[in-house]
Amino acid sequence: LNRKLEYLKKPIFDYQLVRLFMRSLLFFFLLIGYNTFIKAQLDLEHWFPPLYRSSNYLSNYAEINVSTPHKTPFRIYIYSNNTLQESLIISKDNPAKYIIKNSSYITTAKNSFKTNKNGIHIVGENSFFADLRLKKEIVLSFGKTSLGTEFRSVNTTNNNYEGVDEHSLMTSIMATKDNTTINFSGFDAKITFTDGRQYNSPITINLNKDESFIIAAYKKDNFNIFDNEYFNTINGSKISSDKPIVVFGGAFYGQYAYENGSNSLLLDHIPPINKLGKNFFFQKGFSAITKHTEKAFIVATKNNTKVYFNNDTTARVILNDGDYYLMNIKDFINNQVYIKSSEPIYCYQLSSGTNRAVRNADFSYDAESMAYIPPLDISLPGEIDM
């Protein structure tokens, strides 16, 4: 498939135009497969902070796929711990795959709250796309767009799934410059983290280039002191640094569906606050809306943030900095939803991979996922090469 989609660079606010645009986009999206349509940011550098695995049930297999629209071959260089791991030659007709050989990239509790050297940094002689592929999940790199100095942690709600007590929340931070100071603040002081400790805010971290730090907590360690249905008191915490960093967020072993949701990898990049927008539009995934797997997860970055859905003239909810809101399934209109806010917000789509029933077993909760939704009111490239 090699088609080019042209569209206006100006912000799109008209609801009907947005619907028309997204329906056209959805055609291509479904044509080449769920989770593989929107390619990563075309850039000269990409970063993948290490991940925290809260259960042996989930595989620690990980691979990075790289591709480029450029016809002339060029070389990319893959680093971990500031040390060259491998170099590959790619071109438009010759994408490449890198299997992460060091299984410690996906680490466990013993390596949380410690300086890690397992992140991946890729540099190219020309611009290229990169994505991280894991079991049931694809994380697209934002390239240099992911760099920033102020973020909010984004961790989906974790539903109480009977028999499973290792649901987790995770924030992984990777430095791009030596002697970087990072502060993680705004969380509840009652939280017991995966190192077995409780901390007063802020947690201060010092990292050098390509070093990383993972902050994580088990639901099982905090179940009795918070709401039984959800564990979200890390969500919305402030992450600030004196030099550019890259942040991942979510849960490596999480679940947000109300009933029999699968334990999935709910992961994605967290963009810096200065790259966020106020207008969003998305189409539901493949599961029925009645299964409660199709939602929007919103995190505010400023006080008195008003959030509207579709044609609302009155704010549905007003959030303060760090507050979150889980969209009601009733807000879907014709399987679509338009979201507008008075201040920049994080907006992630929660979706499921299928609506199938096989041998009387309901698979509609299978492959739950979390994906950052790019805002409509930002400057976009004039061309997408597919």
Side-chain angles (χ1 to χ4, degrees), residues 73-114:
F74 62 92
R75 191 173 292 274
I76 64 167
Y77 303 89
I78 302 173
Y79 295 89
S80 182
N81 189 24
N82 221 10
T83 301
L84 182 65
Q85 304 295 310
E86 189 168 337
S87 65
L88 302 169
I89 296 176
I90 64 172
S91 64
K92 183 172 184 177
D93 298 321
N94 184 39
K97 177 188 298 184
Y98 172 70
I99 306 298
I100 300 178
K101 302 179 180 64
N102 186 356
S103 61
S104 61
Y105 172 76
I106 302 177
T107 188
T108 56
K110 66 180 181 180
N111 289 320
S112 62
F113 286 85
K114 296 179 180 178

Side-chain angles (χ1 to χ4, degrees), residues 1 99 150 156 158 168 180 183 215 236 271 316 339 359 386:
L1 179 64
I99 306 298
E150 186 177 358
T156 60
N158 251 314
S168 66
T180 299
N183 286 315
I215 296 170
R316 183 72 54 85
I339 301 170
R359 297 178 182 176
M386 297 188 295

Side-chain angles (χ1 to χ4, degrees), residues 161-302:
Y161 180 47
E162 184 179 357
V164 175
D165 61 4
E166 289 190 326
H167 288 228
S168 66
L169 300 179
M170 178 206 75
T171 300
S172 182
I173 302 166
M174 186 172 176
T176 65
K177 304 286 184 181
D178 286 341
N179 195 28
T180 299
T181 299
I182 301 143
N183 286 315
F184 187 86
S185 61
F187 54 89
D188 195 309
K190 295 182 291 184
I191 293 175
T192 299
F193 291 94
T194 50
D195 63 348
R197 297 178 58 188
Q198 294 178 330
Y199 292 85
N200 292 322
S201 178
I203 297 173
T204 300
I205 306 158
N206 295 101
L207 300 175
N208 287 323
K209 180 182 178 182
D210 285 358
E211 290 183 342
S212 58
F213 194 92
I214 296 175
I215 296 170
Y218 284 135
K219 179 176 180 179
K220 66 179 182 179
D221 294 333
N222 299 278
F223 185 81
N224 293 327
I225 59 175
F226 301 116
D227 187 292
N228 285 346
E229 288 298 315
Y230 301 113
F231 174 37
N232 47 45
T233 49
I234 298 177
N235 188 70
S237 298
K238 181 181 293 186
I239 305 164
S240 59
S241 62
D242 60 349
K243 297 176 184 178
I245 58 175
V246 179
V247 183
F248 269 12
F252 201 85
Y253 196 61
Q255 173 206 338
Y256 62 83
Y258 289 131
E259 299 175 10
N260 299 315
S262 62
N263 299 293
S264 301
L265 284 70
L266 306 174
L267 300 167
D268 210 341
H269 271 285
I270 301 177
I273 287 178
N274 64 347
K275 305 291 177 61
L276 300 180
K278 304 176 185 178
N279 291 266
F280 306 85
F281 188 94
F282 63 80
Q283 176 90 18
K284 86 166 187 66
F286 294 105
S287 181
I289 291 176
T290 55
K291 299 297 183 180
H292 294 272
T293 60
E294 305 294 333
K295 299 182 179 184
F297 187 69
I298 295 167
V299 178
T301 64
K302 292 185 179 182

Side-chain angles (χ1 to χ4, degrees), residues 122 147 210 270 336:
I122 312 176
L147 298 176
D210 285 358
I270 301 177
Q336 303 161 334

